[in-house]
């Protein structure tokens, strides 16, 4: 009983919080892959920009417009930057035979630019966002902040809404059709470029939201998005490329594995454990947990 209360439940709750964050981070990455067939390696830098924008807009040290304005406008800034990246750095190369490699190079360049922009604009001095929800609460008898509890509730609801939108709305079905067959979608009268832009905006908006939520738990620095970007990439590949359901399942599996690894083998070895698990899974299931060949 003591083992359950002191070890198992805290690890489970920690894994739940991490999995919720990773799901938000990775689903945007998976959406771009399933729609455009490429990765956006500026995803992590956009998390950083979202956190800095929310800090600048919402906090008393910035413009002081409040947490709600910081959240909304921070997400909007990231969605707008996503549209700009898609239009200038991704779209021109989509028909090239090396489109994936070129998109990797251009979005990595965008990530470096955004990191340096953040450092020049806000300096390297650490900052932190106030929690969106004040106070503390408990889950299964384990104490955690109300902000973390909000993440646990908010992430599944947002991702369920995203799945429903992609499945049942006109825009969502068009995005899915474009991802399945670009030429056939264009012949059917779908504006492929517009829906590529829409998918990118949704993806980078989710990145901004993840960065804002993370900025209330960790310190904000110009390189803040690097580790989340790696984790999001692991989750996307682990769950199955092109599968939102697989990405969500993979996020929670990785979250629980990380919580267990931190407790038993320490933070230093946790990344190695996650990569080892991913390699083993891909050897057994090359398409990922739920991905299709």
């Amino acid at each position: 009983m003591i083992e359950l209360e002191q070890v198992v439940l805290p690890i489970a709750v920690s894994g739940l919080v991490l999995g919720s964050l990773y799901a938000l981070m990775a689903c945007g990455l998976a959406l771009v892959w399933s729609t455009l067939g490429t990765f956006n390696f500026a995803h992590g830098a956009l998390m950083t920009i979202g956190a800095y924008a929310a800090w600048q807009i919402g906090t008393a040290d910035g413009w002081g417009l409040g947490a709600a304005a910081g959240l909304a406008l921070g997400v909007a800034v990231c969605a707008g930057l996503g549209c700009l990246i898609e239009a200038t750095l991704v779209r021109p190369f989509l028909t090239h035979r090396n489109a994936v490699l070129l998109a990797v190079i251009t979005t990595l360049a965008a990530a470096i630019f955004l990191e340096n922009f953040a450092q020049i604009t806000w300096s390297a001095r650490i900052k932190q966002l106030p929690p969106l929800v004040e106070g503390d609460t408990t889950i299964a008898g384990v104490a955690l902040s109300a902000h973390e509890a909000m993440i646990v509730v908010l992430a599944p609801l947002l991702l369920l809404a995203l799945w429903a939108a992609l499945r049942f709305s006109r825009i969502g079905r068009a995005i899915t059709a474009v991802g399945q067959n670009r030429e056939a979608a264009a012949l059917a009268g779908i504006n492929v470029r517009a829906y590529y832009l829409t998918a990118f905006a949704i993806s980078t908006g989710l990145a901004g939201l993840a960065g804002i939520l993370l900025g209330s738990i960790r310190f904000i620095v110009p390189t803040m998005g690097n580790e989340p970007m790696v984790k999001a990439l692991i989750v996307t590949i682990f769950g199955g490329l092109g599968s939102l359901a697989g990405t969500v399942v993979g996020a929670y599996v990785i979250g629980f594995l990380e919580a267990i690894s931190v407790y038993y083998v320490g933070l230093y070895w946790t990344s190695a454990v996650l990569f080892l698990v991913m390699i083993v899974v891909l050897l057994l299931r090359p398409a990922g947990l739920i991905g299709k060949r």
Side-chain angles (χ1 to χ4, degrees), residues 248-263:
V248 173
V249 172
Y252 283 99
V253 171
I254 292 294
F256 285 115
L257 282 175
E258 181 170 345
I260 293 167
S261 298
V262 168
Y263 183 83

Side-chain angles (χ1 to χ4, degrees), residues 14-163:
S14 177
L16 196 59
V17 174
L18 288 171
S20 299
L21 274 170
Y22 293 162
L24 279 177
M25 294 173 193
C27 276
L29 206 61
L31 180 62
V32 167
W33 173 265
S34 63
T35 307
L36 283 81
T38 188
F39 279 120
N40 172 22
F41 278 83
H43 200 75
L46 286 162
M47 294 182 205
T48 304
I49 294 297
Y52 272 120
W55 180 89
Q56 180 66 49
I57 294 163
T59 64
D61 293 328
W63 299 342
L65 298 182
L71 175 67
L73 294 177
V75 171
V77 165
C78 288
L81 284 172
C83 291
L84 182 63
I85 290 170
E86 191 278 335
T88 59
L89 300 179
V90 177
R91 186 187 302 170
F93 307 107
L94 282 177
T95 56
H96 196 280
R97 65 179 182 177
N98 294 321
V100 175
L101 178 60
L102 289 170
V104 167
I105 293 170
T106 55
T107 55
L108 274 174
I112 294 169
F113 175 84
L114 290 172
E115 281 184 14
N116 283 278
F117 172 81
Q119 181 153 347
I120 292 169
T121 306
W122 290 287
S123 81
R125 182 175 295 178
I126 60 174
K127 298 172 175 60
Q128 191 170 33
L129 285 165
L132 293 174
V133 182
E134 300 285 349
D136 298 311
T137 187
T138 59
I139 294 180
V142 179
L144 72 166
S145 70
H147 179 84
E148 290 174 322
M150 181 204 67
I151 292 171
V152 170
V153 174
L154 181 64
L157 291 177
L158 281 175
L159 297 175
L160 182 62
L162 176 62
W163 172 83

Side-chain angles (χ1 to χ4, degrees), residues 12 96 109 131 154 166 173-174 206 224 270 272 280 292:
H96 196 280
L154 181 64
L166 290 173
R173 289 198 299 268
L206 283 174
M224 163 189 152
T270 296
V280 170
K292 297 178 182 179

